[in-house]
Amino acid sequence: MIPTPYLLFLGDAPDQLAAKVAQGIKDWRPENAVGQLRLPGCGADVGLSDLTLQEAKDAGAQTLVIGVANRGGVISAAWKEVLIEALGMGFDLASGLHNLLRDEDDLVAAAKVNGRTLHDVRIPSTAYPIATGVKRSGKRCLAVGTDCSVGKMYTGLAMDAEMRERGLKTTFRPTGQTGILITGGGVPLDAVVADFMAGAVEYLTPDNDDDHWDHIEGQGSLYHVSYSGVTMALVHGGQPDALVLSHEPTRAHMRGLPDYQQPSLEDLRDTALAMARVANPACQVIGISVNTQHLSEEEATKYMAEVEDRMGLPTVDPFRNGAARLVDALLAL
């Protein structure tokens, strides 16, 4: 287990979206975060107190968590001075980047000298099987998005929290670094060898009680040319009984792909449902989750009403408004 509480390192993140790991921890496990540390020029702010390493240590922080998810998952050379200093002050380091802490010789040396631990979240800890497609007991819900980073994880966490409040059987199943750092376990799916990704999802969501729901953390998008493969593994390996469509309406283009536009919700519905029914012919789309963080209350209400009228599905921002209507739709299946 990674020692808590954390100091969230935002580094030189260019914008808020790049700090989504830190934002997710702050939003869903605020008790585990004492503050944030930002380098000059950082364009992100998760709303925590800006602390120095010493101030964070005095506040009880035990692990410096790299809260940045940059393109390619690279440990920036600009961060190294702070990371090495943190190890010297008694912090562990934790990261979910593709560029592993354990592959950085200077960090490994500093950790060894200071008796600290490097926690690489994005390392599969199990030899996952190849998917079999055998039907499993229990029920599963998966959020699929028009793009990356549109709120799929928040949707699953919010639905899981709502079901827990109702005393229902539910588990959130993390498949990415942020979800793993929030919950303490899961499968780093995009670090699994491609042939075993769907099998890893089967492993993560085993047989369960007939009235138990797994909320599988969504990844990527079927329409994102960089990351569609991980989404397909979730769709087939998860064998979802229910899909929630996730969308962020203010994007000018697909994340990191200025020449690609987001699909319509109708296109996503039709494509995702057809793919899901390959593994589970009974799968249904039960609702729409809209990330309205960049809209005013009035704009958000108007937009979601228009989408709900057009699509005929309950449409909410589960983080802003709660996930009760999505859970109601889930339980009505």
Side-chain angles (χ1 to χ4, degrees):
M1 296 296 290
I2 301 172
T4 58
Y6 304 145
L7 172 63
L8 302 180
F9 180 68
L10 275 59
D12 51 2
D15 52 38
Q16 201 66 26
L17 194 56
K20 68 174 187 175
V21 175
Q23 189 70 60
I25 294 171
K26 183 261 183 181
D27 286 342
W28 292 101
R29 291 293 185 272
E31 69 276 11
N32 285 350
V34 303
Q36 63 185 19
L37 193 160
R38 298 185 290 169
L39 297 178
C42 180
D45 183 350
V46 299
L48 294 173
S49 298
D50 286 295
L51 301 179
T52 64
L53 288 172
Q54 188 60 58
E55 289 169 340
K57 196 66 179 174
D58 293 343
Q62 298 190 61
T63 303
L64 180 70
V65 173
I66 296 177
V68 184
N70 55 22
R71 188 170 176 83
V74 178
I75 296 173
S76 169
W79 304 348
K80 286 294 189 68
E81 183 177 348
V82 174
L83 301 182
I84 291 172
E85 184 181 357
L87 290 166
M89 293 177 64
F91 287 90
D92 281 2
L93 296 184
S95 170
L97 296 173
H98 285 292
N99 183 182
L100 302 179
L101 297 170
R102 69 179 187 183
D103 290 339
E104 299 295 310
D105 292 341
D106 47 359
L107 298 181
V108 171
K112 183 176 181 180
V113 166
N114 294 286
R116 308 318 305 166
T117 302
L118 304 177
H119 303 275
D120 282 306
V121 174
R122 226 184 199 124
I123 299 178
S125 58
T126 300
Y128 300 114
I130 291 176
T132 65
V134 173
K135 180 65 177 174
R136 306 185 296 285
S137 59
K139 298 179 183 298
R140 290 156 193 87
C141 180
L142 173 68
V144 291
T146 54
D147 195 2
C148 301
S149 305
V150 293
K152 299 182 294 294
M153 182 188 73
Y154 276 55
T155 300
L157 283 165
M159 293 179 72
D160 175 62
E162 173 67 23
M163 292 187 73
R164 287 179 183 275
E165 287 184 11
R166 300 188 192 189
L168 301 171
K169 297 176 184 178
T170 177
T171 305
F172 177 72
R173 303 292 188 178
T175 61
Q177 74 271 30
T178 308
I180 292 171
L181 284 165
I182 288 170
T183 65
V187 171
L189 191 59
D190 60 6
V192 175
V193 174
D195 277 358
F196 301 94
M197 286 196 298
V201 181
E202 290 185 351
Y203 175 91
L204 182 67
T205 59
D207 285 314
N208 220 313
D209 294 341
D210 289 341
D211 58 347
H212 178 280
W213 279 94
D214 275 343
H215 295 278
I216 306 171
E217 180 185 0
Q219 300 291 337
S221 170
L222 291 171
Y223 282 85
H224 198 292
V225 297
S226 303
Y227 307 118
S228 56
V230 69
T231 313
M232 184 63 80
L234 285 161
V235 170
H236 285 168
Q239 296 182 359
D241 299 275
L243 296 176
V244 177
L245 309 182
S246 298
H247 182 56
E248 205 278 66
T250 68
R251 297 273 177 90
H253 54 76
M254 299 289 279
R255 188 184 180 197
L257 301 175
D259 295 329
Y260 287 80
Q261 297 299 309
Q262 293 170 290
S264 68
L265 283 164
E266 288 87 348
D267 284 344
L268 175 63
R269 175 198 63 202
D270 296 343
T271 300
L273 191 57
M275 292 297 98
R277 285 180 171 171
V278 170
N280 183 355
C283 184
Q284 300 287 333
V285 176
I286 58 96
I288 298 171
S289 168
V290 182
N291 178 347
T292 66
Q293 63 176 321
H294 299 303
L295 300 177
S296 68
E297 190 72 34
E298 181 179 355
E299 290 170 335
T301 299
K302 180 181 179 182
Y303 178 81
M304 289 188 291
E306 291 173 348
V307 171
E308 182 160 336
D309 182 64
R310 187 179 89 232
M311 300 288 291
L313 292 166
T315 302
V316 301
D317 182 330
F319 189 67
R320 191 174 195 170
N321 310 122
R325 295 184 65 216
L326 294 178
V327 169
D328 289 343
L330 197 68
L331 299 177
L333 283 180

